[in-house]
mmCIF file of all heavy atoms in Angstrom:
data_model
loop_
_atom_site.group_PDB
_atom_site.id
_atom_site.type_symbol
_atom_site.label_atom_id
_atom_site.label_comp_id
_atom_site.label_asym_id
_atom_site.label_seq_id
_atom_site.Cartn_x
_atom_site.Cartn_y
_atom_site.Cartn_z
ATOM 1 N N ASP X 61 72.667 96.155 106.611
ATOM 2 C CA ASP X 61 72.455 96.324 105.163
ATOM 3 C C ASP X 61 73.433 97.340 104.575
ATOM 4 O O ASP X 61 74.004 97.106 103.504
ATOM 5 C CB ASP X 61 71.018 96.770 104.884
ATOM 6 C CG ASP X 61 69.990 95.696 105.201
ATOM 7 O OD1 ASP X 61 70.360 94.510 105.357
ATOM 8 O OD2 ASP X 61 68.794 96.053 105.307
ATOM 9 N N TRP X 62 73.623 98.462 105.262
ATOM 10 C CA TRP X 62 74.572 99.466 104.784
ATOM 11 C C TRP X 62 75.990 98.930 104.800
ATOM 12 O O TRP X 62 76.789 99.226 103.906
ATOM 13 C CB TRP X 62 74.465 100.755 105.602
ATOM 14 C CG TRP X 62 73.355 101.643 105.128
ATOM 15 C CD1 TRP X 62 72.133 101.814 105.713
ATOM 16 C CD2 TRP X 62 73.358 102.465 103.961
ATOM 17 N NE1 TRP X 62 71.373 102.694 104.984
ATOM 18 C CE2 TRP X 62 72.104 103.118 103.898
ATOM 19 C CE3 TRP X 62 74.291 102.723 102.969
ATOM 20 C CZ2 TRP X 62 71.767 104.006 102.889
ATOM 21 C CZ3 TRP X 62 73.960 103.612 101.957
ATOM 22 C CH2 TRP X 62 72.709 104.237 101.921
ATOM 23 N N ALA X 63 76.324 98.139 105.811
ATOM 24 C CA ALA X 63 77.665 97.547 105.884
ATOM 25 C C ALA X 63 77.893 96.628 104.688
ATOM 26 O O ALA X 63 78.966 96.635 104.080
ATOM 27 C CB ALA X 63 77.843 96.788 107.188
ATOM 28 N N TRP X 64 76.882 95.837 104.342
ATOM 29 C CA TRP X 64 77.004 94.949 103.183
ATOM 30 C C TRP X 64 77.255 95.780 101.925
ATOM 31 O O TRP X 64 78.121 95.455 101.113
ATOM 32 C CB TRP X 64 75.735 94.105 103.026
ATOM 33 C CG TRP X 64 75.859 93.122 101.908
ATOM 34 C CD1 TRP X 64 76.326 91.844 101.985
ATOM 35 C CD2 TRP X 64 75.565 93.363 100.523
ATOM 36 N NE1 TRP X 64 76.334 91.272 100.727
ATOM 37 C CE2 TRP X 64 75.872 92.175 99.818
ATOM 38 C CE3 TRP X 64 75.082 94.455 99.814
ATOM 39 C CZ2 TRP X 64 75.701 92.062 98.446
ATOM 40 C CZ3 TRP X 64 74.912 94.337 98.436
ATOM 41 C CH2 TRP X 64 75.218 93.151 97.764
ATOM 42 N N THR X 65 76.497 96.856 101.769
ATOM 43 C CA THR X 65 76.644 97.722 100.604
ATOM 44 C C THR X 65 78.041 98.343 100.563
ATOM 45 O O THR X 65 78.690 98.379 99.504
ATOM 46 C CB THR X 65 75.571 98.829 100.614
ATOM 47 O OG1 THR X 65 74.284 98.197 100.620
ATOM 48 C CG2 THR X 65 75.702 99.749 99.417
ATOM 49 N N MET X 66 78.501 98.829 101.707
ATOM 50 C CA MET X 66 79.831 99.433 101.762
ATOM 51 C C MET X 66 80.901 98.421 101.369
ATOM 52 O O MET X 66 81.806 98.746 100.605
ATOM 53 C CB MET X 66 80.097 99.992 103.160
ATOM 54 C CG MET X 66 79.316 101.253 103.456
ATOM 55 S SD MET X 66 79.405 101.801 105.178
ATOM 56 C CE MET X 66 81.146 101.852 105.475
ATOM 57 N N ARG X 67 80.806 97.201 101.893
ATOM 58 C CA ARG X 67 81.787 96.167 101.554
ATOM 59 C C ARG X 67 81.737 95.836 100.069
ATOM 60 O O ARG X 67 82.770 95.611 99.437
ATOM 61 C CB ARG X 67 81.524 94.892 102.352
ATOM 62 C CG ARG X 67 82.067 94.920 103.734
ATOM 63 C CD ARG X 67 81.983 93.510 104.334
ATOM 64 N NE ARG X 67 81.553 93.581 105.702
ATOM 65 C CZ ARG X 67 80.300 93.436 106.134
ATOM 66 N NH1 ARG X 67 79.332 93.173 105.301
ATOM 67 N NH2 ARG X 67 80.022 93.525 107.409
ATOM 68 N N ALA X 68 80.517 95.776 99.522
ATOM 69 C CA ALA X 68 80.351 95.421 98.108
ATOM 70 C C ALA X 68 80.985 96.458 97.188
ATOM 71 O O ALA X 68 81.386 96.133 96.071
ATOM 72 C CB ALA X 68 78.865 95.263 97.778
ATOM 73 N N VAL X 69 81.088 97.685 97.640
ATOM 74 C CA VAL X 69 81.677 98.750 96.841
ATOM 75 C C VAL X 69 83.165 98.928 97.161
ATOM 76 O O VAL X 69 83.992 99.097 96.259
ATOM 77 C CB VAL X 69 80.908 100.078 97.070
ATOM 78 C CG1 VAL X 69 81.605 101.251 96.416
ATOM 79 C CG2 VAL X 69 79.472 99.942 96.571
ATOM 80 N N TYR X 70 83.508 98.871 98.448
ATOM 81 C CA TYR X 70 84.861 99.185 98.910
ATOM 82 C C TYR X 70 85.910 98.221 98.359
ATOM 83 O O TYR X 70 86.938 98.648 97.823
ATOM 84 C CB TYR X 70 84.875 99.192 100.433
ATOM 85 C CG TYR X 70 86.133 99.694 101.086
ATOM 86 C CD1 TYR X 70 86.626 100.964 100.820
ATOM 87 C CD2 TYR X 70 86.818 98.905 102.011
ATOM 88 C CE1 TYR X 70 87.766 101.440 101.441
ATOM 89 C CE2 TYR X 70 87.961 99.377 102.644
ATOM 90 C CZ TYR X 70 88.433 100.640 102.359
ATOM 91 O OH TYR X 70 89.567 101.105 102.977
ATOM 92 N N GLY X 71 85.681 96.925 98.467
ATOM 93 C CA GLY X 71 86.656 95.937 97.984
ATOM 94 C C GLY X 71 86.955 96.088 96.506
ATOM 95 O O GLY X 71 88.122 96.193 96.105
ATOM 96 N N PRO X 72 85.923 96.117 95.642
ATOM 97 C CA PRO X 72 86.197 96.308 94.223
ATOM 98 C C PRO X 72 86.899 97.631 93.904
ATOM 99 O O PRO X 72 87.782 97.670 93.043
ATOM 100 C CB PRO X 72 84.810 96.241 93.580
ATOM 101 C CG PRO X 72 84.035 95.357 94.504
ATOM 102 C CD PRO X 72 84.532 95.721 95.881
ATOM 103 N N LEU X 73 86.533 98.706 94.590
ATOM 104 C CA LEU X 73 87.211 99.981 94.327
ATOM 105 C C LEU X 73 88.678 99.928 94.744
ATOM 106 O O LEU X 73 89.537 100.484 94.050
ATOM 107 C CB LEU X 73 86.487 101.134 95.027
ATOM 108 C CG LEU X 73 85.168 101.559 94.385
ATOM 109 C CD1 LEU X 73 84.532 102.707 95.172
ATOM 110 C CD2 LEU X 73 85.348 101.939 92.926
ATOM 111 N N LEU X 74 88.959 99.269 95.862
ATOM 112 C CA LEU X 74 90.362 99.092 96.247
ATOM 113 C C LEU X 74 91.092 98.242 95.207
ATOM 114 O O LEU X 74 92.246 98.523 94.862
ATOM 115 C CB LEU X 74 90.480 98.451 97.631
ATOM 116 C CG LEU X 74 90.067 99.310 98.819
ATOM 117 C CD1 LEU X 74 90.056 98.488 100.097
ATOM 118 C CD2 LEU X 74 90.977 100.521 98.962
ATOM 119 N N GLY X 75 90.420 97.204 94.714
ATOM 120 C CA GLY X 75 91.009 96.381 93.662
ATOM 121 C C GLY X 75 91.294 97.191 92.413
ATOM 122 O O GLY X 75 92.347 97.049 91.788
ATOM 123 N N LEU X 76 90.367 98.081 92.056
ATOM 124 C CA LEU X 76 90.561 98.932 90.885
ATOM 125 C C LEU X 76 91.750 99.874 91.076
ATOM 126 O O LEU X 76 92.583 100.022 90.178
ATOM 127 C CB LEU X 76 89.291 99.731 90.598
ATOM 128 C CG LEU X 76 89.304 100.603 89.355
ATOM 129 C CD1 LEU X 76 89.537 99.774 88.097
ATOM 130 C CD2 LEU X 76 87.988 101.375 89.254
ATOM 131 N N ALA X 77 91.837 100.472 92.251
ATOM 132 C CA ALA X 77 92.976 101.354 92.538
ATOM 133 C C ALA X 77 94.283 100.564 92.442
ATOM 134 O O ALA X 77 95.283 101.048 91.892
ATOM 135 C CB ALA X 77 92.829 101.991 93.918
ATOM 136 N N TRP X 78 94.271 99.345 92.950
ATOM 137 C CA TRP X 78 95.454 98.502 92.873
ATOM 138 C C TRP X 78 95.772 98.145 91.421
ATOM 139 O O TRP X 78 96.934 98.103 91.022
ATOM 140 C CB TRP X 78 95.286 97.251 93.716
ATOM 141 C CG TRP X 78 96.478 96.350 93.681
ATOM 142 C CD1 TRP X 78 96.518 95.060 93.248
ATOM 143 C CD2 TRP X 78 97.823 96.659 94.091
ATOM 144 N NE1 TRP X 78 97.789 94.556 93.360
ATOM 145 C CE2 TRP X 78 98.608 95.518 93.877
ATOM 146 C CE3 TRP X 78 98.421 97.794 94.609
ATOM 147 C CZ2 TRP X 78 99.970 95.477 94.171
ATOM 148 C CZ3 TRP X 78 99.776 97.758 94.904
ATOM 149 C CH2 TRP X 78 100.530 96.613 94.680
ATOM 150 N N GLY X 79 94.743 97.897 90.633
ATOM 151 C CA GLY X 79 94.955 97.579 89.230
ATOM 152 C C GLY X 79 95.657 98.704 88.484
ATOM 153 O O GLY X 79 96.432 98.458 87.561
ATOM 154 N N VAL X 80 95.423 99.936 88.912
ATOM 155 C CA VAL X 80 96.089 101.084 88.299
ATOM 156 C C VAL X 80 97.537 101.174 88.788
ATOM 157 O O VAL X 80 98.453 101.431 88.010
ATOM 158 C CB VAL X 80 95.319 102.388 88.614
ATOM 159 C CG1 VAL X 80 96.104 103.611 88.189
ATOM 160 C CG2 VAL X 80 93.943 102.356 87.948
#
Side-chain angles (χ1 to χ4, degrees):
D61 292 344
W62 277 103
W64 184 90
T65 301
M66 287 171 52
R67 279 191 221 96
V69 172
Y70 189 57
L73 286 180
L74 290 172
L76 184 60
W78 180 240
V80 171

